[in-house]
Amino acid sequence: PLKTSVEQLTQYDNLRIFPKPLFFFFYFIFFIIEGAHLACVLKKHPALDSVLHLFPENVLVSGEENIPGLVASPTGDALLKPQTLKTLPFTLNRLTISLQPSLEKFESQLLQLINADLTFSHCFANSFASFALYCMCVSLCFFFSSTSSQPQILGLRSSLELRLTNHQALAIIFQLEYVFSTPIGRETMGNFCLCLSATSTSRAAFLHSLRWGIWCPFQEPAEWKGEEIQLVLQGGAKPNPHGAMVYSTEMSAKAQSPAPISAPGTAQACSAVSNFAHLEMDLQQGGGDSASLHDEGDQLQELPFTPVHAPSVVFSSRSSLAHLFSAGFPDIVDSSGQVAEVLDPTEPLPFDPNREENDLQGNLLVFQFLAFTRIAAPGVGPDWPENIYFTFQFYRFPPVTSQRLKLLTGDKVQHKASDPLPCVLASINKDGTVNTGSPGLQLQFRVDDSFLKPGEKRWFLRYLALHAMHIDIWDSDSLLLIGSTAIELKYMLRQCKSAVQALHEVEVLTTDYVGEDTLLTNRDLGRHSASSPMTVHTIVRGRLHIRTGNIGKYRKTELQLYCSIVTFLLWHNNTNVAKKATILLNILKELLLTDGVVPKENSLNKPGDSDRKLKCMAAVREREASEDAKTAKVEAQSKKAQLANPSEAKSKAESIANMLSQAITTQHLLYASLGSAEYMEFVLKNPFNVPETVTIHSDDPELSVITNTEEWRYFKALTRTPTPLEENMFHLEQGAPGPRVYLRPKESLHVPLKYQSFLCDHTMALQVWWRIKVHSHSMFYKVTFKAEDGKPMAICQVNVEPTPHVVDQTFRLYHPELCFLKKAIRLPVWHDPAPGEPQDVYLKVPGSPSPHIKMFFVMVFTDKWMAAPSQIWQIYVHFLERVDVSCVTGQRSCQSLVLRGTQAIRKVKCFSSHPGEIEVDPAGVFVLPPAAVQELQLKVQPWQAGSRFLYVNAVDVEQQRLVTAWLLCLNVHRPVLSKAFEVCVPVGGGRGSSRKITYTNPYTSSRTFLLRSDHPDLLQFKEDKFQIRGGESYTIGLRFATSQSPGSVDILVYVNNLEEKTEETFCVKVNYS
């Protein structure tokens, strides 16, 4: 028996095998023979030391095998005394890799496919890592640089010397690798799910292979010397020499070794349907006057399609959570009063669609806005913002604008600046006082069978599973956008549980555009410089604490009880009582079902019972008055027509015609949403004994006849309609009122009809809660089938009930007034992306006066026949009055603005997006008379060089409405430095470091100077203000704060006069070591 132990095996240095696999290998080869044994001896063979690199790992080899690099032995055992073949020198003079269609497009699509693969492979993961490309290399340590003649081709910097043995089995492996970077955070690798914190500052880099290829230079015939050879780099899940998974992208990569190497591939990633909103700004800058509405020659600027507002879940400290929940928020409980089961939004969520669909309980979806955590930012104070409100849209409910909320801070609670405590939200009453009741804001949406259309439940569950709800956070005082965030809705899926809840803490993000800074020269004074390349920065403005829940089997509300009582009154013998009960029942149903927003007994902001009853009674009186007025108007018109022409009013022919028209009219009811095509088939029968050619005419192009056979077949397969299909059924003629179809006597056929509307009634999208629909939004269309004599044979009347649609993306664009907005929005990666250049959607929007906001929808279709939009974008364009300002950092510049009054008197106050850099005079509330002109003085003192965009709003403080908005386009230059210093400050705890700088008054008279710094958190002055006589010197005391990490930073020290004009500027380079 084999008795070699693991310890005995490990003492042999050159034995490159795993003991356990070797034992199993012997077990399957040898058989037990009675009375015999096998003795194995393992010995070290020193002659193999020099040729071990030629052997494959973990593989048993024999001396009789043909091992590349070894000379064949005449005895048959090449391993007994191994001899290596001689190596010959070779030189790779030129090695290039070309990426199609370009290097930028290749890497851009690579990142999109990776993020798309993460998103759709782990759709229930908490968060997804943000990948970035660092560099590219080849496994043979080739280093590349772009050549000047062909910027899209990566070439070897210098020739590469190789020493190879002339053997037919020898091959050179080319492996294209990329170095990826991703933030380090909280990681969970269960089910291959990676959850990383978006707020992590450190990043990890890892290497991954994208393409590989093999070149055998010594296989006969070897006629490659001096010529270019093309190799194909491969990718995907194919066997390769390294035995590693190689990512497959759609773009092709061509490498040359020493000639081009092409690598076609196939796309394997799914579509990355992003559901998060973007806040973008038009970066177009003009040197002088703004472009007018008639100027249409500017080039469209591309807006990258990047989800900057993806849900980034953060984690607060235990002290912050303890402070948050000590406020006493009400619990989310089920119908039996038990607290809802808590789900962890950082963990993957298992989801069974069938189980969710078969749940017969109703859904009461709850959103509790609990608190907001401020984060210090340059240009704003520590108490900003003080009051906020939210705007969002859930599913196909109307857009919601919340009430004003106050941020409450605990004065007695001690907290660190590095870990700010969350500010509890409290509602503000109409008189401006803070509600002392339950903290927070709770909103509820009811979604049950009475709200959903037939077959819509599956789409609603899909919406919860795959979508995230975008939320905009606004400053309720200045009406400026603070930022945006999004919460994943999949944690509201109950999975047949009585109730579930989840606590989300997400970052509130916004985007800032900063151009390259330039040094101030004499030619820059008094004019605006040309626009510089802009860099987009994502800024964290705060953190929002929100709790979501879904309650099933909730109690009957008070309105439902009212419905039951009023339904009983319908059986009353008195006709007037029954009539009023019918009206009241309809109103209560609309209050109960319309928009799905219902009050709850333990709501944080429950309206009073008296107010609700008054609203119901007012609605009843309004409904009765409208119906009485309508009836009186109809009777008056009838009497007037009878007096004008009595014979015509009583015409029997007209009555007969109306009766016949109703007899041949068939009505259909459709529930249609924006952009979605509704398919139907009308059965047309020829009642005559002779053949007829019928002309089909529609009174509106939104209801049309499908005449294309392929389109008809597509919609039949989509709707699973089993009716027959005919080729070339319709006859089309130019100038005809519609298509014609031939009918045999007594024959019946199916006429395909399609209703699709691209018009949206924006008044429906602006509904408020508890609004009573007095007028119906339903519309009707008619399709008339006329015989050869022109008489109608049949009429199809389609009654359309418009329903709200789901918004997938929200864009907010800021643009100067009365100018064309031109944008190119790049589409995301779809399920079946077409090869070639990426697809862009070009927008061109005419301008409007400030502060007008244009809102419209963009529907994106991916199917040929446009059955339903794959995405619906809601785009807001904020038109602002543009003001160009050229200034220098650290120095105050003044700019005048003109504010014109409206038709009514207003109390106005001006706000700026960066109060630390912009002061508005007057600073307080002032009265703006009607048609008056008020001059405003802006004092701009920026601290960051480059091109920037800031905002100023004039707000009516009584009505909380925007009067005028300005877009400040700053072109900030760097100042001219007088002196430069360098100082070293120790890292870690301590009292910092103190230094002194001498300043001499260049004037002959006494002057007062102010000291300013662009880094007040790192540098403090002994005195911020000093006065010296003419020609004398003053010692400026500097106090540098310590840092927790090594590095260096340049701090500018400004010596300004009393008018904030800079006299001198010093640069202090601080080295933290």
Side-chain angles (χ1 to χ4, degrees):
L2 187 62
K3 297 183 179 180
T4 305
S5 63
V6 177
E7 290 77 7
Q8 292 173 333
L9 288 174
T10 55
Q11 68 182 349
Y12 299 102
D13 298 335
N14 297 330
L15 200 63
R16 306 183 65 181
I17 59 176
F18 289 115
K20 288 185 178 181
L22 180 62
F23 290 158
F24 284 109
F25 181 75
F26 278 116
Y27 177 79
F28 283 108
I29 291 182
F30 293 97
F31 299 93
I32 298 177
I33 303 177
E34 296 293 338
H37 70 277
L38 176 65
C40 296
V41 179
L42 298 178
K43 292 184 178 181
K44 184 176 180 180
H45 193 43
L48 295 177
D49 290 343
S50 59
V51 295
L52 284 179
H53 62 283
L54 300 177
F55 299 153
E57 295 183 357
N58 303 327
V59 176
L60 296 177
V61 295
S62 172
E64 299 178 355
E65 297 181 10
N66 185 11
I67 301 177
L70 294 182
V71 179
S73 175
T75 60
D77 190 358
L79 301 181
L80 186 60
K81 294 181 178 181
Q83 296 181 359
T84 58
L85 294 174
K86 294 183 179 180
T87 58
L88 303 177
F90 294 89
T91 303
L92 283 177
N93 293 326
R94 188 170 68 91
L95 176 64
T96 60
I97 295 180
S98 61
L99 304 173
Q100 301 297 329
S102 64
L103 175 62
E104 179 183 359
K105 302 295 183 182
F106 177 84
E107 294 181 348
S108 175
Q109 189 184 24
L110 173 63
L111 287 176
Q112 291 179 5
L113 290 177
I114 292 177
N115 289 314
D117 185 65
L118 282 176
T119 304
F120 274 80
S121 297
H122 321 296
C123 63
F124 298 109
N126 170 53
S127 60
F128 307 109
S130 174
F131 286 90
L133 297 179
Y134 269 2
C135 62
M136 61 177 300
C137 60
V138 179
S139 58
L140 294 180
C141 297
F142 298 163
F143 295 93
F144 296 93
S145 62
S146 299
T147 60
S148 59
S149 60
Q150 294 176 318
Q152 302 298 338
I153 295 180
L154 298 174
L156 195 64
R157 294 178 180 175
S158 60
S159 60
L160 184 64
E161 299 291 339
L162 300 175
R163 298 191 66 86
L164 306 174
T165 57
N166 191 347
H167 197 279
Q168 294 182 0
L170 186 140
I172 300 178
I173 301 175
F174 296 90
Q175 185 169 336
L176 178 64
E177 295 179 332
Y178 268 76
V179 179
F180 294 87
S181 172
T182 184
I184 300 177
R186 181 179 177 179
E187 300 180 6
T188 55
M189 296 302 294
N191 298 328
F192 301 97
C193 175
L194 181 62
C195 300
L196 298 176
S197 174
T199 59
S200 178
T201 57
S202 58
R203 303 180 69 87
F206 59 93
L207 200 65
H208 197 81
S209 176
L210 298 185
R211 289 289 188 271
W212 63 274
I214 293 180
W215 179 38
C216 299
F218 301 108
Q219 288 186 351
E220 296 181 0
E223 299 178 355
W224 49 267
K225 298 180 180 180
E227 298 181 0
E228 292 187 351
I229 296 179
Q230 294 187 0
L231 300 180
V232 177
L233 299 182
Q234 305 179 41
K238 300 178 181 179
N240 55 77
H242 293 278
M245 293 291 292
V246 180
Y247 199 83
S248 174
T249 63
E250 182 182 356
M251 295 292 185
S252 60
K254 292 185 177 181
Q256 300 175 1
S257 171
I261 301 177
S262 62
T266 57
Q268 302 291 339
C270 300
S271 167
V273 181
S274 177
N275 302 290
F276 319 127
H278 305 227
L279 173 64
E280 302 292 348
M281 177 186 293
D282 189 11
L283 306 182
Q284 181 180 356
Q285 287 190 358
D289 298 334
S290 300
S292 63
L293 287 175
H294 303 286
D295 183 10
E296 302 180 7
D298 296 338
Q299 185 69 22
L300 289 173
Q301 299 187 13
E302 178 179 321
L303 177 66
F305 193 98
T306 53
V308 297
H309 294 140
S312 51
V313 181
V314 293
F315 306 95
S316 293
S317 62
R318 295 185 182 274
S319 60
S320 298
L321 293 176
H323 169 72
L324 176 64
F325 286 100
S326 64
F329 299 105
D331 295 327
I332 298 179
V333 296
D334 58 10
S335 58
S336 60
Q338 299 295 325
V339 178
E341 180 179 346
V342 179
L343 302 179
D344 188 1
T346 64
E347 298 293 337
L349 179 69
F351 171 59
D352 185 1
N354 296 328
R355 186 178 182 183
E356 196 74 34
E357 267 189 72
N358 296 330
D359 188 1
L360 301 179
Q361 300 178 359
N363 296 286
L364 184 63
L365 302 146
V366 182
F367 294 92
Q368 288 185 353
F369 296 88
L370 306 179
F372 183 86
T373 302
R374 299 188 181 107
I375 293 181
V380 296
D383 296 334
W384 180 86
E386 296 182 359
N387 305 317
I388 62 175
Y389 71 92
F390 306 101
T391 58
F392 64 92
Q393 183 175 7
F394 175 70
Y395 193 49
R396 57 180 180 86
F397 292 95
V400 174
T401 300
S402 72
Q403 61 191 98
R404 300 174 60 199
L405 301 171
K406 180 74 174 180
L407 273 66
L408 302 180
T409 56
D411 298 334
K412 300 181 180 179
V413 181
Q414 301 292 333
H415 64 277
K416 301 180 181 179
S418 58
D419 185 22
L421 294 178
C423 300
V424 177
L425 301 177
S427 59
I428 300 177
N429 301 323
K430 293 183 179 180
D431 56 356
T433 60
V434 179
N435 185 9
T436 58
S438 298
L441 174 66
Q442 177 169 303
L443 301 176
Q444 301 174 350
F445 300 85
R446 176 181 292 135
V447 178
D448 51 17
D449 293 338
S450 59
F451 170 78
L452 299 173
K453 297 181 296 184
E456 188 186 358
K457 187 175 182 179
R458 176 177 300 178
W459 293 100
F460 173 71
L461 297 176
R462 183 177 182 271
Y463 169 79
L464 292 181
L466 301 178
H467 282 65
M469 189 178 73
H470 170 82
I471 304 175
D472 288 332
I473 297 91
W474 302 80
D475 186 344
S476 60
D477 296 330
S478 64
L479 302 185
L480 290 168
L481 179 66
I482 299 175
S484 304
T485 188
I487 56 172
E488 293 179 300
L489 300 175
K490 61 185 179 182
Y491 297 99
M492 304 183 79
L493 296 170
R494 289 188 295 105
Q495 291 290 281
C496 293
K497 300 174 183 177
S498 59
V500 295
Q501 61 175 328
L503 178 64
H504 304 266
E505 183 179 356
V506 290
E507 292 179 337
V508 177
L509 306 177
T510 186
T511 51
D512 189 17
Y513 297 83
V514 179
E516 297 179 356
D517 55 347
T518 57
L519 185 64
L520 179 65
T521 60
N522 294 330
R523 290 179 295 176
D524 295 328
L525 295 174
R527 71 178 182 90
H528 304 295
S529 62
S531 60
S532 58
M534 307 296 292
T535 303
V536 182
H537 298 278
T538 301
I539 302 176
V540 181
R541 288 294 185 90
R543 295 196 295 267
L544 178 63
H545 303 260
I546 181 173
R547 181 160 56 185
T548 60
N550 187 357
I551 303 173
K553 241 180 189 179
Y554 44 88
R555 297 188 185 97
K556 281 191 175 183
T557 62
E558 187 178 353
L559 287 178
Q560 288 176 313
L561 182 59
Y562 288 164
C563 290
S564 302
I565 298 174
V566 175
T567 304
F568 173 77
L569 293 178
L570 288 176
W571 299 95
H572 201 278
N573 296 328
N574 192 333
T575 308
N576 294 329
V577 174
K579 181 180 179 181
K580 292 183 179 181
T582 305
I583 297 175
L584 183 58
L585 179 63
N586 294 333
I587 293 173
L588 291 175
K589 286 183 177 179
E590 288 176 355
L591 288 176
L592 187 63
L593 303 178
T594 299
D595 305 337
V597 183
V598 299
K600 191 179 177 182
E601 295 175 0
N602 59 347
S603 175
L604 301 183
N605 299 281
K606 183 182 70 172
D609 296 338
S610 59
D611 295 340
R612 183 165 60 251
K613 294 176 181 179
L614 290 176
K615 289 181 180 180
C616 292
M617 297 305 300
V620 171
R621 294 191 183 96
E622 184 179 357
R623 178 71 66 87
E624 289 180 346
S626 61
E627 290 188 356
D628 294 341
K630 188 175 181 181
T631 304
K633 185 177 179 180
V634 171
E635 292 178 356
Q637 291 178 353
S638 177
K639 291 181 179 179
K640 185 177 179 180
Q642 291 178 6
L643 293 176
N645 194 350
S647 61
E648 184 178 355
K650 299 180 180 180
S651 175
K652 293 184 179 180
E654 183 179 353
S655 302
I656 295 174
N658 291 335
M659 293 177 61
L660 292 177
S661 176
Q662 295 178 1
I664 62 175
T665 300
T666 304
Q667 295 190 12
H668 292 276
L669 178 62
L670 289 181
Y671 293 94
S673 60
L674 180 65
S676 297
E678 300 294 336
Y679 173 78
M680 72 196 81
E681 290 186 357
F682 180 78
V683 180
L684 178 61
K685 182 178 180 180
N686 181 10
F688 307 108
N689 294 323
V690 294
E692 287 284 349
T693 301
V694 180
T695 302
I696 307 174
H697 172 69
S698 175
D699 61 354
D700 195 284
E702 294 183 350
L703 181 60
S704 59
V705 182
I706 300 178
T707 57
N708 188 288
T709 306
E710 295 182 5
E711 183 180 2
W712 189 5
R713 182 180 292 107
Y714 175 81
F715 278 99
K716 287 178 69 67
L718 185 65
T719 57
R720 299 179 181 179
T721 306
T723 55
L725 182 143
E726 291 189 31
E727 300 280 349
N728 302 322
M729 190 174 71
F730 298 99
H731 177 64
L732 303 176
E733 292 183 1
Q734 291 185 354
R740 296 178 178 176
V741 61
Y742 177 80
L743 284 175
R744 300 180 182 88
K746 302 294 183 179
E747 183 186 12
S748 299
L749 56 82
H750 295 265
V751 178
L753 301 176
K754 179 183 69 173
Y755 174 81
Q756 189 172 26
S757 176
F758 298 99
L759 300 178
C760 179
D761 185 6
H762 288 188
T763 59
M764 290 186 59
L766 300 178
Q767 299 175 71
V768 296
W769 303 335
W770 306 97
R771 184 179 64 83
I772 301 174
K773 298 181 186 176
V774 178
H775 303 286
S776 177
H777 292 278
S778 60
M779 300 170 289
F780 62 91
Y781 305 87
K782 286 186 178 181
V783 177
T784 307
F785 301 87
K786 296 183 179 180
E788 296 177 0
D789 56 0
K791 295 181 180 180
M793 182 183 298
I795 299 175
C796 177
Q797 179 175 330
V798 179
N799 302 320
V800 179
E801 284 285 346
T803 57
H805 53 275
V806 177
V807 176
D808 298 286
Q809 290 280 342
T810 301
F811 294 88
R812 288 193 180 271
L813 307 176
Y814 291 83
H815 194 71
E817 63 176 351
L818 302 177
C819 296
F820 270 103
L821 169 68
K822 302 174 184 179
K823 282 295 181 184
I825 303 178
R826 177 154 298 174
L827 293 175
V829 182
W830 304 110
H831 288 276
D832 188 15
E837 292 293 330
Q839 301 295 323
D840 295 334
V841 176
Y842 295 94
L843 302 178
K844 188 174 182 181
V845 185
S848 297
S850 171
H852 184 69
I853 301 176
K854 279 192 174 180
M855 190 270 288
F856 57 92
F857 299 95
V858 175
M859 288 146 284
V860 183
F861 295 87
T862 56
D863 57 314
K864 179 180 179 181
W865 303 110
M866 301 171 59
S870 297
Q871 281 199 347
I872 297 181
W873 299 343
Q874 187 176 25
I875 299 180
Y876 293 90
V877 182
H878 298 251
F879 291 99
L880 313 177
E881 186 176 342
R882 176 170 179 164
V883 179
D884 293 302
V885 180
S886 181
C887 50
V888 183
T889 60
Q891 181 171 287
R892 178 179 293 176
S893 301
C894 296
Q895 181 75 31
S896 297
L897 301 179
V898 176
L899 177 61
R900 292 178 172 84
T902 57
Q903 298 178 355
I905 187 171
R906 293 176 180 266
K907 290 185 178 180
V908 180
K909 185 178 180 180
C910 295
F911 300 87
S912 65
S913 59
H914 294 70
E917 300 182 10
I918 302 177
E919 296 181 6
V920 185
D921 187 20
V925 180
F926 59 91
V927 177
L928 182 63
V933 177
Q934 175 72 37
E935 183 180 4
L936 305 177
Q937 289 292 331
L938 293 184
K939 300 177 182 179
V940 183
Q941 192 172 9
W943 303 104
Q944 182 181 0
S947 301
R948 300 178 60 196
F949 299 93
L950 307 182
Y951 309 93
V952 175
N953 283 359
V955 181
D956 186 340
V957 294
E958 291 183 340
Q959 302 296 329
Q960 288 297 316
R961 292 184 179 180
L962 188 63
V963 179
T964 307
W966 290 275
L967 173 64
L968 301 185
C969 302
L970 302 186
N971 192 5
V972 187
H973 302 277
R974 290 177 295 172
V976 178
L977 301 180
S978 303
K979 297 179 182 179
F981 304 91
E982 187 172 2
V983 64
C984 294
V985 177
V987 177
R991 300 179 57 185
S993 179
S994 299
R995 295 292 187 274
K996 296 180 180 180
I997 297 178
T998 302
Y999 174 73
T1000 303
N1001 184 4
Y1003 301 99
T1004 58
S1005 60
S1006 177
R1007 296 293 177 95
T1008 301
F1009 299 96
L1010 307 174
L1011 295 178
R1012 299 287 184 261
S1013 172
D1014 60 344
H1015 288 79
D1017 56 332
L1018 301 179
L1019 174 61
Q1020 295 180 356
F1021 301 103
K1022 183 179 180 180
E1023 294 179 354
D1024 296 338
K1025 183 179 179 180
F1026 64 93
Q1027 183 179 1
I1028 56 176
R1029 297 179 180 179
E1032 295 185 358
S1033 298
Y1034 174 80
T1035 302
I1036 302 175
L1038 307 177
R1039 184 68 180 177
F1040 297 93
T1042 60
S1043 175
Q1044 300 299 326
S1045 59
S1048 62
V1049 62
D1050 292 335
I1051 301 177
L1052 297 182
V1053 177
Y1054 301 91
V1055 181
N1056 295 348
N1057 56 22
L1058 294 178
E1059 297 178 355
E1060 291 291 353
K1061 300 294 182 181
T1062 302
E1063 299 289 345
E1064 285 194 50
T1065 305
F1066 304 142
C1067 179
V1068 182
K1069 183 177 182 180
V1070 183
N1071 297 318
Y1072 296 96
S1073 59

